[in-house]
Amino acid sequence: MNATTKVHAQWSSRMGFVLAATGSAVGLGNIWKFPYMVGESGGAAFVLVYLVCIFLIGLPILVSEWLLGRRGQKNPINTMRDMAEKNNASKAWVLVGISGVLGAFLILSFYSVIGGWSLAYIKDAVVNNFSDQNADGIAAIFNGLLASPAQLLVWHSVFMLLVIGIVARGVTKGLEGAANILMPALGVLLLVLVAYGATTSGFSQALSFMFSPDWSQLTGKVVLSALGHAFFTLSLGMGIMMAYGSYIGEDIDLLKTARTVVIMDTVIALAAGMAIFPIVFTEGLDLSSGPGLIFVTLPLAFGNITGGWLVGLAFFALLSFAAITSAISLLEPVVEFVEERSPLSRATSTVVSGFAAWALGLLALLSFNVLGDVLIFGLNFFDLLDQLTSKFMLPLTGLGGILFMAWHLDKESVRQELNLDIYDFSLWSLLTRYLAPIAVLVVFFTNL
Ligand code: PFF
């Protein structure tokens, strides 16, 4: 069947949909990226701005993307094209879909490199590398990994192959069942690590670092990072949630479901921070050690807990699983795009798209070692890919989605679709027509 005419199947249940959306949202962004951004951005001020961005901007955009997807019933590019046509809007809206696909491709390339680190750490846990190590020993393991292009290459390749394999065989929905058990398990394990953190001397310092703001740390740059991360962590601005929306049945309450997904995503990120920062403070580690943060902190805990190798193994296995479910959602729209625009079959499109992202990922991988000194606009390849997507492409694409929803769709039908009374709907309109878009633009332009 041609992708243009394809009307998708639907999620088996609301639960299936929530799991798939959460599977995309919860990933390395929550556990790897959020804590190190908090560390680099000075703590609680960043956390609070991030929470505001998540609830006031992220949540309405998530609902907008689902709503557009459910109405369009197609892939994001065709959805935007059809919706623009139907609502007498400019054809240029299709750019929202196109830039989403491009963003997904760019993110996948470096996401797979970090997914590879997580896989490498499964191996380290199994061979009990973390036991009885001090902070220097743990740092040496991590630095050794970064310094070795060969090791990084192996793990990046394994990660991408897993993702390609799953998407090519079209078994992504099969993961729904696994996610049912594994995502809650990840949550429980994080709580165990938070409990461990609570026994360390740095716990109260960690809590005040995360929750008691020093507003002098708040700069335009910090706000932009928080905004960008809100998009990244909820998988917004990439057409992904729009694609998922095309599978949602009419009976599903979008606002309620979005609230569930957003809360789960936020709780996991905060728990990750609360597991990591006590170790940072107890051991006197560098708060702003960047992307390596979880890899030089949590293994210290695993080395100290009895049976810690098993906890470490479980943790990195679950983190890898969460990373894979997110990576699948990144590859999917790229594959759909290639499949539709080329004569290639689905399987070949998957291999070609995955391979291209893998190849671009090599630049990200080498920027941790041999290409470390190659800078573009003062950034290495890894940072460039990360910042270009999080700080520019995602917010602008997400903005496109919400503006289209708020200004081009018939208001009354949206009100009914969201089950809002007149009063709540006027709040919703205020938020989606003005507040959220203006906030995105202001943050964006102050930083240009
Ligand atoms: N939301 C995922 C995470 O937090 O790890 C990453 C991600 C997945 C970003 C899918 C964007 C996306 F479309």
Side-chain angles (χ1 to χ4, degrees), residues 24-30 104 107 111 229 231-236 238 240 265 326-327 329-330 394:
S24 171
V26 174
L28 295 169
N30 305 64
I107 291 183
Y111 203 81
H229 190 59
F231 281 88
F232 186 90
T233 193
L234 293 178
S235 306
L236 299 176
M238 234 157 314
I240 286 171
D265 188 82
S326 298
S329 76
L330 285 164
L394 306 189

Side-chain angles (χ1 to χ4, degrees), residues 115-130 145 155 159 162 295 309-310 312-321 324:
W117 296 359
S118 180
L119 292 177
Y121 269 54
I122 297 181
K123 178 220 71 184
D124 283 319
V126 170
V127 300
N128 210 3
N129 265 350
F130 305 138
L145 176 66
W155 295 114
F159 186 89
L162 285 170
F295 297 96
W309 71 272
L310 194 59
L313 166 63
F315 177 80
F316 285 112
L318 291 172
L319 179 62
S320 303
F321 177 80
I324 287 174

